[in-house]
Amino acid sequence: MAETLVVAEGLGRVYPGAVPTVALEGVSFQFDAGEFAAIVGRSGSGKSTLLNMLGLLDTPTHGSLMLGGRDVSRIGSSERAALRNELIGFVFQYHHLLPEFSVRENVAMPALIAGRRLDADLTKRVDETLDVLGLSGLGGKGANDLSGGQKQRVAIARALMNRPPLVLADEPTGNLDTESTDAVYDLFRTVNREWGTSFLIVTHDQEIASMTDRIFEIADGKLSQDVRNEFARPTRSPSGDPARP
Ligand SMILES: Nc1ncnc2c1ncn2[C@@H]1O[C@H](COP(=O)(O)OP(=O)(O)O)[C@@H](O)[C@H]1O
Ligand SMILES: [Mg+2]
């Protein structure tokens, strides 16, 4: 039996205001270690709200959420930050790299901010992570000297530095061309297969969704579908071979 990573029960988020916004309502599901899933739904349906709660960036106003066996529904901000650091890797639509720093420094940035030095150990860890993402040898380059697709791969490397069991990606290919989109998808799949990392990927790209093993659909803040995708194809092209790291 796979370990259960996420248990959401009646999860909800209401944004207060003169007219409160019910962004998420009654969302219940379980998600296991090693799963590879997409979250789809119209703009404004509540996908980012859900991801932000799963990623401990935001707190639910209703229901309960267990992450890695811990009840995180109502924990305080320092515990939240520590657990996020341990359990979650985030990939966003925009890479948020710091242009004046090297690739290596960008990947190490969360650790540097936490007060670590870029010593031999940390450098080794960064370079191993860059290797897995097919970015060997780019560590010394300036973040600005990379293509859009490479920048997003560096952002993925940064998200994987702590080897989190769960990666949450919010429209990670929304800003990329088809070729770079496929490269990102292949990387996610490879990391999922090689390390057993779980992925929840918010996407507008139907083809990408169709290549995942499970598809969640959010409509008007509710979980409207949760289907196993038995027809998941490994790559976009039927004959294609997934890129190896
Ligand atoms: N910080 C916020 N304050 C108030 N309303 C918000 C906030 N963030 C999102 N919303 C509203 O919550 C709903 C869901 O938004 P969101 O989760 O961003 O949707 P999606 O990611 O699917 O496009 C929308 O109606 C949006 O306007
Ligand atoms: Mg969104």
Side-chain angles (χ1 to χ4, degrees):
M1 275 299 287
E3 179 196 341
T4 301
L5 211 51
V6 179
V7 184
E9 273 172 21
L11 204 60
R13 175 67 162 103
V14 178
Y15 292 109
V19 182
T21 305
V22 181
L24 212 65
E25 195 181 0
V27 170
S28 302
F29 67 93
Q30 283 200 21
F31 193 71
D32 288 345
E35 286 203 75
F36 191 86
I39 301 175
V40 302
R42 288 173 188 273
S43 182
S45 57
K47 305 180 298 296
S48 294
T49 300
L50 174 61
L51 224 59
N52 290 344
M53 289 196 299
L54 297 177
L56 300 170
L57 294 173
D58 189 17
T59 314
T61 52
H62 298 78
S64 73
L65 178 63
M66 306 272 294
L67 270 185
R70 300 270 309 271
D71 186 345
V72 298
S73 317
R74 307 285 180 268
I75 58 174
S77 60
S78 60
E79 206 178 343
R80 180 172 291 282
L83 265 183
R84 188 190 311 132
N85 196 40
E86 181 188 328
L87 297 176
I88 311 288
F90 257 107
V91 182
F92 298 98
Q93 180 168 1
Y94 299 98
H95 50 77
H96 300 296
L97 298 187
L98 298 172
E100 64 272 32
F101 289 90
S102 70
V103 165
R104 196 175 278 122
E105 286 164 332
N106 268 282
V107 174
M109 196 54 70
L112 299 178
I113 289 170
R116 277 191 69 177
R117 286 187 320 108
L118 194 48
D119 56 16
D121 277 353
L122 188 54
T123 301
K124 181 161 172 272
R125 179 78 161 193
V126 170
D127 288 351
E128 279 169 7
T129 311
L130 289 173
D131 285 351
V132 169
L133 299 198
L135 297 166
S136 309
L138 291 187
K141 277 209 166 196
N144 248 2
D145 299 331
L146 307 179
S147 70
Q150 284 175 326
K151 282 179 186 161
Q152 189 61 318
R153 276 196 276 164
V154 172
I156 295 167
R158 185 183 51 194
L160 292 170
M161 266 297 279
N162 288 344
R163 307 293 186 264
L166 176 62
V167 169
L168 302 173
D170 199 348
E171 308 204 24
T173 61
N175 217 17
L176 299 179
D177 60 25
T178 307
E179 198 181 324
S180 299
T181 294
D182 289 352
V184 164
Y185 169 82
D186 287 344
L187 274 178
F188 283 175
R189 257 302 183 197
T190 304
V191 171
N192 168 252
R193 191 178 55 231
E194 307 273 319
W195 292 351
T197 309
S198 305
F199 284 78
L200 269 170
I201 308 161
V202 171
T203 183
H204 275 127
D205 188 326
Q206 283 301 332
E207 280 199 71
I208 290 293
S210 74
M211 295 188 285
T212 66
D213 302 329
R214 183 176 177 186
I215 304 173
F216 295 98
E217 186 185 47
I218 307 288
D220 292 330
K222 300 195 178 76
L223 183 56
S224 54
Q225 282 211 66
D226 173 3
V227 292
R228 303 280 164 180
N229 181 22
E230 281 159 33
F231 307 102
R233 289 172 293 127
T235 62
R236 197 186 285 264
S237 79
S239 59
D241 189 27
R244 306 287 302 182

